[in-house]
Amino acid sequence: MHTTALVLFSGGQDSTTCLAQALSKYERVETVGFDYGQRHSVELQARLVVLQQIRLQFPQWAQRLGEDHVLDLAVLGQVSETSLTRDTAFKMESSGLPNTFVPGRNLLFLTLAAALAYRRGLQVLVTGVCETDFSGYPDCRDDSMKAMQLALSLGMDKRFLIDTPLMWIDKAATWALAEALGGQALVDLIIEHTHTCYLGDREHRHDWGYGCGQCPACELRARGFVAYSAGLPKP
Ligand code: ZN
């Protein structure tokens, strides 16, 4: 039986939904985030607010929610030239990948998370990676996750499970999953406090939350929310 989990938690919509699912599924849940010199510490700030709001609004989850860890990954800035860590504009490369892409970033995240989970005695690694809303990130694919699960379990001589609740669902279904897990209160919490926008915009408030409304992350989030809302029964 798997009863303990470590959630890779960025403070965005996806990882917040994954966290909610982990809290309804596992008895003890810890969180880990990565500080790799993001241009906007908005993301790291959002993590703390979301954790605080979950503790406040969901007492049944609060008692399962353990320590939060933030690992310093400044080294990512040394191996990448991306618009997340430098002052260049977000754009799509000819490879079809956004220039925010850091090759193998998720593999690195998972390796560090597994080392932390090993030390903390946690069995499951939960991550919000997804193949459905295709973002072009090969290290988010299901096969990559299965290979990592095997490599980490063998390499650390400990059986890890990588749990990917969003792998086969789209953004509309991710909103619906949040509603199923925590009702309107969780949907509202995600709208108000999670952060997705690549530009770090917390000025412009939309139905689906804060963001510039233009970048690919905002577009995906907005489109998903519209589709999710359209599927709701009319008041
Ligand atoms: Zn944006």
Side-chain angles (χ1 to χ4, degrees):
M1 257 312 262
H2 298 100
T3 56
T4 59
L6 179 63
V7 179
L8 284 79
F9 177 62
S10 71
Q13 177 192 353
D14 291 348
S15 65
T16 300
T17 307
C18 287
L19 175 59
Q21 201 200 42
L23 287 167
S24 53
K25 193 168 163 187
Y26 304 111
E27 288 166 17
R28 183 161 66 92
V29 175
E30 298 189 9
T31 45
V32 61
F34 302 97
D35 182 355
Y36 46 97
Q38 290 95 321
R39 259 205 295 173
H40 312 282
S41 61
V42 171
E43 230 178 77
L44 292 172
Q45 202 54 45
R47 295 180 79 253
L48 300 178
V49 177
V50 170
L51 288 175
Q52 185 193 39
Q53 287 297 320
I54 284 180
R55 285 183 208 280
L56 272 173
Q57 296 187 43
F58 299 92
Q60 73 280 26
W61 289 346
Q63 53 186 344
R64 296 175 158 203
L65 182 54
E67 234 177 278
D68 177 43
H69 313 266
V70 175
L71 303 181
D72 185 346
L73 262 187
V75 65
L76 271 188
Q78 291 176 269
V79 295
S80 65
E81 264 189 304
T82 79
S83 66
L84 284 181
T85 50
R86 302 221 183 161
D87 252 358
T88 52
F90 180 91
K91 65 175 171 63
M92 297 302 286
E93 304 280 12
S94 53
S95 60
L97 295 168
N99 66 340
T100 51
F101 178 65
V102 179
R105 190 180 69 177
N106 269 316
L107 307 183
L108 189 58
F109 287 176
L110 281 164
T111 305
L112 290 166
L116 183 62
Y118 186 104
R119 184 163 62 77
R120 302 288 302 163
L122 303 167
Q123 303 157 314
V124 183
L125 306 173
V126 184
T127 168
V129 292
C130 172
E131 264 197 36
T132 309
D133 281 323
F134 184 61
S135 56
Y137 298 100
D139 58 346
C140 291
R141 291 178 190 154
D142 192 50
D143 283 350
S144 303
M145 294 301 108
K146 290 197 163 78
M148 277 308 276
Q149 177 173 292
L150 188 60
L152 293 170
S153 296
L154 288 173
M156 297 192 190
D157 197 19
K158 182 180 160 61
R159 187 80 174 92
F160 287 111
L161 187 77
I162 298 184
D163 186 1
T164 57
L166 310 184
M167 182 60 79
W168 305 113
I169 66 175
D170 63 14
K171 275 280 188 285
T174 303
W175 285 106
L177 175 59
E179 191 194 327
L181 290 165
Q184 191 58 40
L186 184 61
V187 174
D188 289 342
L189 187 160
I190 289 172
I191 291 173
E192 206 56 39
H193 300 295
T194 67
H195 185 79
T196 308
C197 176
Y198 284 137
L199 302 182
D201 186 324
R202 296 295 296 171
E203 262 175 60
H204 301 97
R205 172 68 154 80
H206 314 264
D207 291 349
W208 43 266
Y210 290 90
C212 71
Q214 315 282 317
C215 74
C218 280
E219 276 182 10
L220 198 58
R221 177 162 164 154
R223 217 182 317 131
F225 188 79
V226 169
Y228 157 70
S229 303
L232 292 177
K234 298 285 170 285

